[in-house]
Amino acid sequence: MNLTSIPALQDNYIWVLNNDQDECIIVDPGEARPVIDTIAANHWQPVAILLTHHHGDHVDGVRELTAKWPGLPVYGPAETLNKGTTQEVKDGTVITISGIEFTVIATPGHTLGHVSYYSNPYLFCGDTLFSGGCGRLFEGTAKQMDESFHRLNQLPADTLICCAHEYTLSNMAFARAVLPQNPHILSYYHKIKQLRDKNQITLPSVLEKEREINVFLKTHDIDLQRNILPDLNLPESWQVFEALRRKKDSF
């Protein structure tokens, strides 16, 4: 499969996978027009839409796309059933589209019903795992999001992190503030800054790199714990995650 990112709205990416038969799968279409234009330019035929959660910047293009291509199946969690989803998915659901198998992973935290889709090497994780960061906790808890991160961290090191927003530079600025002596974080911050100075995309990231530079995947790091929760001895992973997210919210 070939991966394409379509810029949308202010800082969203809509992801599209296409095969050699010009069939394509659309992930989280927050608006329809850029998707329609890209499909027309490449002479693709859409075969499915995947939704990670119910927020408008991920689902608002669904109705227009399914009106243009009647019968187009839309997969999503229960919270998207009133957003155009035709086939509900849950944790552990396996769906096959044009010969490509996706495993659904429940990743609550950003929303309660948020899911991610994994088909080696692609992970479509919506607003859960960002490059260098994590999504805001609008509905779920830090404990849920921390558990979601642990689940995603079990995937192979070469997994491509296809998240939905261009937040990498701000996330790396935060990471640098939290762990200013970490050489991996410092190096990656400068790399990302150069890319964004040229208005270039920073995604997809790779899970192996995220393990080096994403502070939300480092909740067991002693230096991080001492920095974030100096008064708490041997904190739980989710407590470190919660403190990090709270700091990021006001960063």
Side-chain angles (χ1 to χ4, degrees):
M1 300 290 280
N2 303 303
L3 181 68
T4 299
S5 61
I6 303 175
L9 303 170
Q10 184 176 350
D11 49 34
N12 281 68
Y13 291 120
I14 300 166
W15 296 98
V16 179
L17 279 176
N18 74 283
N19 61 19
D20 292 338
Q21 288 73 50
D22 291 328
E23 298 170 322
C24 73
I25 300 165
I26 305 157
V27 184
D28 280 355
E31 57 178 339
R33 180 45 52 188
V35 177
I36 292 170
D37 291 346
T38 302
I39 287 174
N42 289 280
H43 308 289
W44 293 334
Q45 177 61 39
V47 292
I49 295 174
L50 306 180
L51 302 179
T52 61
H53 65 292
H54 67 83
H55 287 160
D57 62 328
H58 294 253
V59 303
D60 281 355
V62 171
R63 302 286 188 191
E64 188 174 341
L65 292 173
T66 53
K68 183 171 179 60
W69 289 285
L72 186 65
V74 181
Y75 298 87
E79 65 179 40
T80 64
L81 286 172
N82 63 343
K83 305 293 185 178
T85 285
T86 60
Q87 300 191 41
E88 181 184 351
V89 298
K90 300 178 181 179
D91 185 48
T93 299
V94 177
I95 54 178
T96 302
I97 306 166
S98 295
I100 306 300
E101 188 174 278
F102 293 89
T103 299
V104 178
I105 305 169
T107 48
H110 181 68
T111 68
L112 290 176
H114 196 296
V115 300
S116 299
Y117 299 86
Y118 175 68
S119 179
N120 187 26
Y122 307 107
L123 174 68
F124 299 101
C125 49
D127 287 357
T128 296
L129 170 62
F130 291 130
S131 182
C134 77
R136 285 182 179 268
L137 303 176
F138 285 121
E139 298 174 14
T141 65
K143 194 171 192 298
Q144 286 176 313
M145 187 71 103
D146 186 46
E147 289 171 354
S148 294
F149 262 54
H150 283 301
R151 292 196 70 185
L152 296 181
N153 201 24
Q154 302 307 307
L155 295 173
D158 64 350
T159 298
L160 296 177
I161 309 301
C162 304
C163 54
H165 290 274
E166 184 56 79
Y167 290 164
T168 314
L169 182 58
S170 63
N171 287 337
M172 292 312 302
F174 174 70
R176 188 177 69 159
V178 171
L179 289 175
Q181 305 303 318
N182 185 295
H184 299 294
I185 288 173
L186 289 173
S187 174
Y188 201 62
Y189 168 80
H190 290 297
K191 176 183 177 181
I192 294 303
K193 190 172 188 310
Q194 289 176 352
L195 287 174
R196 294 309 296 154
D197 284 345
K198 299 172 185 174
N199 201 33
Q200 294 180 0
I201 186 172
T202 66
L203 302 170
S205 180
V206 182
L207 184 56
E208 184 174 32
K209 173 58 69 175
E210 292 302 310
R211 290 168 179 163
E212 291 180 349
I213 58 91
N214 192 321
V215 292
F216 291 92
L217 286 170
K218 293 178 173 294
T219 52
H220 294 291
D221 184 288
I222 298 299
D223 290 335
L224 179 63
Q225 291 177 358
R226 286 172 179 164
N227 187 326
I228 296 297
L229 293 170
D231 299 326
L232 193 59
N233 188 36
L234 297 176
E236 297 285 339
S237 175
W238 69 267
Q239 292 175 306
V240 181
F241 198 104
E242 182 178 52
L244 275 172
R245 185 62 253 186
R246 195 162 51 240
K247 274 185 173 289
K248 180 66 170 66
D249 288 343
S250 60
F251 181 70

